Amino acid sequence: QVQLVESGGGLVQPGGSLRLSCAGSGFIFSNYVMRWYRQAPGKKRELVAGITSAGGSTNYADSVKGRFTISRDNAKNTVYLQMNSLKPEDTAVYYCNAYWSDYIDYWGKGTLVTVSS
């Protein structure tokens, strides 16, 4: 059974940091591109960051470049999102995605990040 379980969300003040984790199981984690998406209230889900299967290449949404860092540990079947200099507009539910093809991809249930003073 495929599972992606996110953790690390919570309430943080503007300018603060959080690290999200996503643990995968039930599939060959190291074969998949891993991505973080987010969805703010009333908005469409958007891609935040992605990392290739071996971790050699990453990409980021313009809104998070220089503040967020995606990484992965294939030995632990885990992908991370380090979020620094958080802003209120970063408030959203963050979802982990494992992508193989347009027909084979998996999603976690999400973790809520709230940036507020």
Side-chain angles (χ1 to χ4, degrees), residues 63-78:
S63 58
V64 307
K65 278 181 183 175
R67 300 188 298 121
F68 290 12
T69 303
I70 188 171
S71 62
R72 66 190 296 162
D73 185 340
N74 285 344
K76 296 182 178 179
N77 288 356
T78 301

Side-chain angles (χ1 to χ4, degrees), residues 24 26-35 51-55 72-75 77-78 97-101 104-106:
F27 64 102
I28 303 174
F29 183 88
S30 59
N31 284 356
Y32 284 68
V33 170
M34 297 300 298
R35 296 168 174 165
I51 187 167
T52 52
S53 56
R72 66 190 296 162
D73 185 340
N74 285 344
N77 288 356
T78 301
N97 170 257
Y99 179 87
W100 174 258
S101 73
I104 302 176
D105 70 328
Y106 310 119

